[in-house]
Amino acid sequence: QQPVQSPQAVILREGEDAVINCSSSKALYSVHWYRQKHGEAPVFLMILLKGGEQKGHEKISASFNEKKQQSSLYLTASQLSYSGTYFCGTRPLGQGFSFIFGKGTRLLVKP
Amino acid sequence: DVKVTQSSRYLVKRTGEKVFLECVQDMDHENMFWYRQDPGLGLRLIYFSYDVKMKEKGDIPEGYSVSREKKERFSLILESASTNQTSMYLCASSSTGYNEKLFFGSGTQLSVL
């Protein structure tokens, strides 16, 4: 029941772009994106609610296609500080406040 | 800023011991969660609670129980610890409504020997 993230890992050079995808088999109320650096707790990036919205945070943005239960995270002009593991988190419709995460995507940005 | 505090950063226990992991949040959040994090498996939901004394099973509740006697505190209990419960345990809390983002504690690395 975990959402499926792809790719599992990606290596970038500074300034390059990346897209991380998240797909759920369940209808969703919301999708969240979090970033976790090594040895630290996950930190919230953004939330997307059903309604097909797209949001941005500096050079990181995301979209949510509620019909397909898919979300994508877009990282543009990547910086070294973007390195970490990115998790999508989903709140399925009809399951109260249950909040399920994917397995994560490891992102490494090299100079 | 929201603070979610987990009582121990590292814990070493013996097989068969009863283990308590404590989590306290200071922002009056309704929802609290327990996850375990293992390499390659991401964050897996063990239990969550949406109110005092209310609890719901997550994806992997077997071998665990929880307690929420006060709104700010959510405890994870391993009744009889086993080696396959060696993991990083993360607690999180969130409010209800539009701004439902999760705030995580720093985690407890539990080793069961």
Side-chain angles (χ1 to χ4, degrees), chain A residues 3-5 20-34 44-55 61-73 87-93 98-102, chain B residues 98 100-102:
Chain A
V4 177
Q5 285 187 235
I20 300 171
N21 299 303
C22 175
S23 180
S24 174
S25 60
K26 295 180 178 290
L28 301 175
Y29 173 78
S30 64
V31 177
H32 297 202
W33 287 95
Y34 293 78
F44 173 81
L45 292 176
M46 65 188 72
I47 178 175
L48 301 105
L49 302 175
K50 74 184 188 79
E53 64 178 311
Q54 185 159 353
K55 298 189 76 171
S61 62
S63 63
F64 176 30
N65 184 326
E66 64 180 292
K67 289 184 179 178
K68 294 183 178 180
Q69 291 98 248
Q70 293 175 347
S71 179
S72 295
L73 185 72
F87 292 98
C88 72
T90 57
R91 186 174 149 200
L93 281 170
S98 173
F99 203 79
I100 310 297
F101 285 91
Chain B
Y98 181 79
E100 58 177 28
K101 65 182 180 180
L102 270 65

Side-chain angles (χ1 to χ4, degrees), chain B residues 18-30:
Chain B
K18 190 168 186 176
V19 181
F20 292 86
L21 302 183
E22 306 286 346
C23 176
V24 178
Q25 50 96 1
D26 65 357
M27 281 301 291
D28 202 36
H29 283 168
E30 294 85 0

Side-chain angles (χ1 to χ4, degrees), chain A residues 10-11 13 18 25-26 38 45 47 49 55 66 70 76 81 85-86 105 109:
Chain A
V10 59
I11 300 174
R13 291 286 179 190
S25 60
K26 295 180 178 290
H38 184 68
L45 292 176
I47 178 175
L49 302 175
K55 298 189 76 171
E66 64 180 292
Q70 293 175 347
T76 57
S81 62
T85 301
Y86 290 77
T105 295
V109 180

